[in-house]
Amino acid sequence: MVSAHTPRPFAVQPVPAASALLALLLGATLVLAAPGARAQAVAVPVLTVGGASAAAGFEFEGTLEPQQQSVIAAQVPGVLRLLAVKAGDRVKAGQLLARIDERELAAGLAAGDAGVAQAQAALVQARQAAQRTRELRAQGFVSAAALDTAQAQLDAAEAALAAAQAGRQQAAVARGFSTVTAPFDGVVRATHAEAGELAAPGKPLLTLYAPGRLRASVMLPLSRAEAARAAREVQVLLPDGRALVPARRTELPGADAASQTVEWRLDLASAAPADALLPGQPV
């Protein structure tokens, strides 16, 4: 007997949202656990969030300058006969830098020698006269006033010799100033005179500085002075990107009334790469 099979109608029932989510999770579980599938670990980045204080900083423009620098000036008058160095030269302590014409100074020294010799001769004569006067006074041939006069002449001769010796020493020192030497090891930063010029006491001849000891000079606004004093760390940022911690920090007393700034000097350590740093560089 053949009977015909008639399909039965079906109805779609709505699925709640929670049931749908559960079905998706079960389906995903079945797919991951399917036979032959390889489970792979998934790396999940983890970020730990915590509390911390945010530090604020600020920068100011400064300039490198030497810690030790001297303007070498003439101490005696005369024509500058020789300038033995130029800007950029390295010199040693005691090395010849310049020479001033010393002929006039040599003449003064010779005059001082002559004055000393004359004073010595006068002193010898005064001593002899005083000695004879004492002997005559002891014999009663001269008065006490004559002896006093002889003693006064001896005292004057001794004083004249001391003055002549002091003048001769002064002339010798002046002649020594005609030769200008380096007071310390350094680099000639600039020259301020040329050979043939007339030198006078106080006239600058050259500027010398010690290259291994530099500092950063910064004009700090007064409005930021307190914040700068309270800073936990101060660094000097060099033109090549390096940052150096200063060996010493000095705030000069007083402020500039016009710019309302105070000068800070940040000394760099002696081990700083001095060959790559030059006075005048911005930092």
Side-chain angles (χ1 to χ4, degrees):
M1 181 177 60
V2 179
S3 61
H5 178 71
T6 303
R8 297 179 59 187
F10 61 94
V12 178
Q13 299 293 333
V15 181
S19 301
L21 179 60
L22 179 60
L24 289 176
L25 292 177
L26 291 176
T29 303
L30 291 176
V31 170
L32 292 177
R38 176 177 298 179
Q40 297 181 356
V42 179
V44 180
V46 179
L47 178 63
T48 303
V49 180
S53 60
F58 44 87
E59 296 183 2
F60 295 99
E61 294 291 334
T63 306
L64 289 180
E65 62 181 26
Q67 296 183 36
Q68 184 179 11
Q69 177 172 287
S70 296
V71 178
I72 310 300
Q75 295 180 269
V76 292
V79 177
L80 183 62
R81 290 297 184 186
L82 173 68
L83 186 62
V85 294
K86 62 183 181 300
D89 288 350
R90 290 181 175 268
V91 298
K92 296 291 185 180
Q95 181 176 334
L96 176 66
L97 300 177
R99 181 176 286 116
I100 300 172
D101 188 2
E102 62 178 7
R103 288 177 293 180
E104 184 178 352
L105 301 174
L109 181 57
D113 291 337
V116 170
Q118 183 179 4
Q120 288 175 340
L123 178 60
V124 171
Q125 185 178 7
R127 283 174 178 171
Q128 292 175 350
Q131 182 62 29
R132 287 194 300 268
T133 303
R134 290 191 194 97
E135 294 175 355
L136 293 174
R137 175 59 183 166
Q139 297 175 7
F141 292 114
V142 296
S143 64
L147 179 60
D148 292 341
T149 301
Q151 185 61 44
Q153 291 176 347
L154 176 60
D155 294 341
E158 290 177 346
L161 176 60
Q165 290 174 339
R168 193 266 177 197
Q169 182 64 26
Q170 184 177 6
V173 171
R175 184 180 182 183
F177 287 151
S178 64
T179 301
V180 182
T181 58
F184 53 85
D185 296 349
V187 177
V188 179
R189 185 173 183 179
T191 57
H192 311 296
E194 297 290 341
E197 294 183 6
L198 181 62
K203 179 179 180 179
L205 301 178
L206 56 93
T207 299
L208 186 70
Y209 76 95
R213 301 176 57 192
L214 297 176
R215 67 187 174 206
S217 177
V218 183
M219 301 306 296
L220 191 70
L222 290 177
S223 59
R224 307 303 297 272
E226 288 298 331
R229 295 188 192 103
R232 294 182 303 172
E233 184 178 12
V234 176
Q235 292 182 341
V236 178
L237 304 180
L238 303 181
D240 59 6
R242 287 172 297 176
L244 300 180
V245 177
R248 186 176 62 177
R249 180 176 63 187
T250 304
E251 181 180 353
L252 298 188
D256 185 87
S259 62
Q260 289 295 295
T261 57
V262 62
E263 182 178 0
W264 275 32
R265 292 179 176 177
L266 309 175
D267 295 347
L268 303 183
S270 300
D275 293 339
L277 303 180
L278 295 175
Q281 280 186 316
V283 292

